[in-house]
Amino acid sequence: MASRYWVVSLPVKDSASPLWNRLQDQISRHSFDTPLYRFSIPNLRVGTLDSLLSLSDDLLKSNSFLESVSHKIRRQIEDLERVSGAESNALTVDGVPVDSYLTRFVWDEAKYPTMSPLKEIVDGIHSSVVKIEDDLKVRLAEYNNVRSQLNAINRKQSGSLAVRDLSSLVKPEDIISSEHLITLLAVVPKYSQKDWLASYETLTNYVVPRSSKKLFEDNEYALYTVTLFRRVADNFRTTSREKGFQIRDFEYSSEAQEGRKQEMDKLVQDQESLRGSLLQWCYTSYGEVFSSWMHFCAVRIFAESILRYGLPPSFLSCVVAPATKSEKKVRSILEGLSDAANSTFWKSEDEAGMAGLGGDVDGHPYVSFTINLL
């Protein structure tokens, strides 16, 4: 599938069929690897020249918006599938691959009546895509909120012993808590473990001898227990801190631990559920946005062709997907068939920088703009 297409229109003098045949012949002879398709546009309501001029001022801005929303949803689909490790599905519009939808475009008369004013059609397309973008923001915020909560919990469980949650590392039998005795948890720098084992019994009075046991070790710290009389616990905390040992506040509770596990399980389920529904919504909404964008492109090629070639509407619109190496040759073919007496003028304007409009509007003696699918 090509990722970049040109939508172009050429002026027609009498009938579009001979011009189409000439174009096909020229492409097949001089750029045979360039896909070429008719871009069928119905007889839309022209309106007044002033209305067309007014509409043309908004066309480029609206196209940038529609393109950006299309790409935003596509990137979101890629992100969601990458997180889940799922295999990517082909993007479709009403069950049709997006490239086929573009190259075999058919106007949806039921959704966009051709007798409606062009501005009304464009405004309707813009409004519907704005609603989809707003919906995406709401759904994405809900999904990211759950992800943030999960990430925060994971950081607590996998971070340094100085800050992480210790409940998964401590068992009930590791802790003594009675009227007179208490077990504290000490976070000891790895390089200071010998100092801890040699000194913890003397950091204060009434420490139970040989009561310290290592429970866990990470890259920076080791976690030790120590049992002592409850009435000297505060003094032990102070002297430990002075020696560079951190006493972590911890109270073992099986109920609290079970509650944290249930919370974690629920967040994981919520994340998977939201991810699945968001992914499905993105697939559906991408199709809606892409369809709206292609109808907008049909209005755009129609309006710009009238402004370029005049009334009554008489032009051939098509879609071309040249490879980079073939672009210059295809441009030359299109220019030769545009039958424009002022082609030299258009060339000079192009060289002077008319293509500087973001690469979207091309300075050529025929109407041309680019559709980027990626």
Side-chain angles (χ1 to χ4, degrees), residues 38-56:
R38 287 288 289 268
F39 191 66
S40 300
I41 301 174
N43 292 320
L44 298 174
R45 184 174 170 181
V46 176
T48 64
L49 182 60
D50 284 345
S51 67
L52 284 177
L53 287 169
S54 175
L55 181 65
S56 70

Side-chain angles (χ1 to χ4, degrees), residues 43-333:
N43 292 320
L44 298 174
R45 184 174 170 181
V46 176
T48 64
L49 182 60
D50 284 345
S51 67
L52 284 177
L53 287 169
S54 175
L55 181 65
S56 70
D57 292 339
D58 299 327
L59 288 176
L60 185 58
K61 185 188 301 182
S62 294
N63 184 75
S64 297
F65 169 70
L66 297 173
E67 182 179 22
S68 70
V69 175
S70 170
H71 292 178
K72 187 184 299 182
I73 296 176
R74 178 185 53 76
R75 286 193 298 269
Q76 190 59 57
I77 290 172
E78 293 172 353
D79 289 345
L80 290 169
E81 289 179 334
R82 184 166 54 249
V83 167
S84 67
E87 186 175 341
S88 298
N89 295 318
L91 296 174
T92 61
V93 183
D94 297 329
V96 179
V98 291
D99 58 326
S100 297
Y101 185 86
L102 165 58
T103 57
R104 295 170 177 80
F105 175 75
V106 177
W107 184 272
D108 188 343
E109 173 68 24
K111 194 171 184 180
Y112 305 104
T114 52
M115 289 308 296
S116 300
L118 296 182
K119 180 170 174 51
E120 185 178 308
I121 295 175
V122 170
D123 288 347
I125 288 172
H126 192 276
S127 297
S128 67
V129 175
V130 165
K131 289 178 182 177
I132 289 174
E133 185 188 35
D134 290 343
D135 197 5
L136 173 62
K137 291 176 182 176
V138 172
R139 290 171 179 269
L140 198 53
E142 185 180 12
Y143 172 67
N144 285 334
N145 180 48
V146 173
R147 284 189 68 192
S148 297
Q149 292 181 60
L150 264 178
N151 288 337
I153 292 175
N154 287 329
R155 280 195 298 272
K156 285 183 179 179
Q157 292 184 340
S158 60
S160 162
L161 282 171
V163 294
R164 68 171 289 179
D165 178 32
L166 302 178
S167 58
S168 62
L169 306 177
V170 182
K171 299 180 177 134
E173 56 267 27
D174 296 326
I175 300 295
I176 295 174
S177 182
S178 66
E179 181 181 356
H180 298 293
L181 292 175
I182 186 173
T183 298
L184 301 180
L185 297 177
V187 175
V188 179
K190 285 184 72 172
Y191 61 82
S192 300
Q193 292 184 73
K194 288 183 178 179
D195 292 342
W196 165 262
L197 293 171
S199 64
Y200 77 89
E201 294 180 7
T202 60
L203 292 177
T204 188
N205 296 326
Y206 307 113
V207 176
V208 177
R210 297 185 296 280
S211 64
S212 187
K213 180 177 71 171
K214 182 160 70 172
L215 302 182
F216 186 79
E217 184 176 315
D218 63 18
N219 292 330
E220 299 178 80
Y221 300 98
L223 181 66
Y224 282 87
T225 61
V226 58
T227 302
L228 59 154
F229 276 72
R230 187 178 291 273
R231 59 193 173 92
V232 297
D234 288 341
N235 186 46
F236 186 86
R237 288 188 177 92
T238 301
T239 52
S240 294
R241 184 167 58 249
E242 291 171 353
K243 292 283 188 179
F245 310 130
Q246 177 188 357
I247 304 300
R248 291 284 307 272
D249 291 327
F250 180 81
E251 184 175 345
Y252 186 85
S253 169
S254 59
E255 293 82 5
Q257 192 165 357
E258 180 62 27
R260 282 191 289 268
K261 183 179 181 303
Q262 291 178 358
E263 179 190 11
M264 181 76 166
D265 291 343
K266 183 178 184 306
L267 284 172
V268 170
Q269 291 176 359
D270 288 348
Q271 177 181 248
E272 284 305 299
S273 175
L274 288 171
R275 190 199 66 80
S277 62
L278 177 57
L279 182 59
Q280 186 58 48
W281 179 91
C282 283
Y283 271 118
T284 302
S285 297
Y286 181 86
E288 293 178 14
V289 171
F290 192 83
S291 174
S292 298
W293 185 20
M294 292 307 100
H295 282 81
F296 170 85
C297 288
V299 173
R300 181 180 178 187
I301 200 77
F302 180 81
E304 293 189 5
S305 295
I306 292 175
L307 291 173
R308 178 70 66 90
Y309 310 132
L311 289 169
S314 183
F315 58 89
L316 169 71
S317 54
C318 55
V319 173
V320 193
T324 303
K325 62 182 176 60
S326 304
E327 287 185 3
K328 190 172 181 181
K329 173 56 70 177
V330 174
R331 287 293 186 198
S332 176
I333 293 171

